[in-house]
Amino acid sequence: MNPESKNLDDYLISDAIVDCKTPHVRQTALELTRSIPDEVDKARCLYEWVRDTIPHTNDAGLEIVTCTASEVLHHGTGICFSKSHLLAAFLRAVNIPAGFCYQVLRFNPPVNNELVLHGLNGIYLSSLGKWIRVDARGNTRGINAQFSIVNEQLAFPMEDSAGEFIYDTIFAAPVSNVVSKLKKYDSRRELWLDLPKAFENKNA
């Protein structure tokens, strides 16, 4: 994994999308971790809460499209990118650096092999001196993503032969083409027809 920035403060910023200073977002993160002193356990708690408590919009059969962390928390749903925005905001609210990672995966193999982006998170654990990747998409239909500091366990395995891969970069902010798609559409069905695609630079 390759952090986009060497300055960890860039992974603690509150902005328009990762709005970790919004009272509801910050207070929820603090309440969830109030009795947890250990940094790794805090990160695990917040990850599992977002993974398990906030349903993926498609799994829930909902049409709303959320984007910002506060929107995801308010409406209680989001797709992979949106859930990654909430998880990053929660982590930043308790002073744990968090960024954004992206996979390129087939949309619905073998029925639809179009390559689209999938969003997840990078978390820096200062007590361990390293970054880990986690996927808070939600464990449904046999998916078994887990928080692990040893063996990475994401939601979807990748098949190199099918053109699937994961970018090495841990971005400090959600990439613009993801945010623009989430802001463009009012319904998930519309978004599903125009999901974010791979970046031009595969080595990003």
Side-chain angles (χ1 to χ4, degrees):
M1 285 178 279
N2 180 35
E4 179 184 30
S5 172
K6 294 182 179 179
N7 185 353
L8 288 176
D9 287 343
D10 291 338
Y11 294 91
L12 292 168
I13 290 172
S14 181
D15 59 26
I17 306 300
V18 190
D19 49 350
C20 57
K21 291 186 178 179
T22 300
H24 187 201
V25 173
R26 183 175 181 275
Q27 199 60 36
T28 301
L30 291 173
E31 288 175 0
L32 288 169
T33 58
R34 194 177 306 280
S35 62
I36 305 174
D38 180 74
E39 174 201 47
V40 175
D41 290 339
K42 281 186 179 183
R44 185 192 307 275
C45 168
L46 294 172
Y47 161 75
E48 291 180 347
W49 193 91
V50 174
R51 183 194 66 188
D52 300 340
T53 306
I54 303 292
H56 189 285
T57 310
N58 187 50
D59 296 343
L62 300 173
E63 283 300 312
I64 188 170
V65 178
T66 55
C67 180
T68 70
S70 55
E71 287 173 348
V72 178
L73 185 59
H74 175 73
H75 293 287
T77 191
I79 67 169
C80 61
F81 306 113
S82 310
K83 292 184 68 171
S84 76
H85 301 166
L86 177 59
L87 178 56
F90 272 178
L91 291 161
R92 293 180 184 191
V94 298
N95 208 38
I96 297 176
F100 304 92
C101 302
Y102 299 93
Q103 283 179 289
V104 172
L105 299 169
R106 288 169 293 168
F107 179 69
N108 184 27
V111 177
N112 185 342
N113 290 322
E114 179 186 15
L115 293 173
V116 296
L117 280 184
H118 173 63
L120 48 155
N121 293 93
I123 303 173
Y124 185 75
L125 299 170
S126 59
S127 58
L128 303 179
K130 71 174 186 178
W131 287 91
I132 66 168
R133 266 189 304 239
V134 297
D135 190 338
R137 180 234 176 268
N139 289 342
T140 56
R141 300 192 300 274
I143 295 171
N144 186 27
Q146 299 294 330
F147 181 100
S148 176
I149 61 175
V150 179
N151 298 312
E152 184 174 277
Q153 190 168 338
L154 306 179
F156 302 108
M158 289 174 289
E159 291 190 21
D160 296 343
S161 62
E164 297 180 330
F165 64 93
I166 190 165
Y167 292 101
D168 191 53
T169 302
I170 304 169
F171 296 89
V175 296
S176 59
N177 63 329
V178 165
V179 173
S180 64
K181 296 286 187 184
L182 294 175
K183 291 291 190 181
K184 180 178 181 180
Y185 295 106
D186 293 325
S187 79
R188 181 192 53 77
R189 293 183 188 183
E190 292 176 314
L191 174 61
W192 245 225
L193 298 175
D194 190 25
L195 285 167
K197 305 296 193 298
F199 320 137
E200 290 184 7
N201 181 8
K202 184 174 178 178
N203 296 316

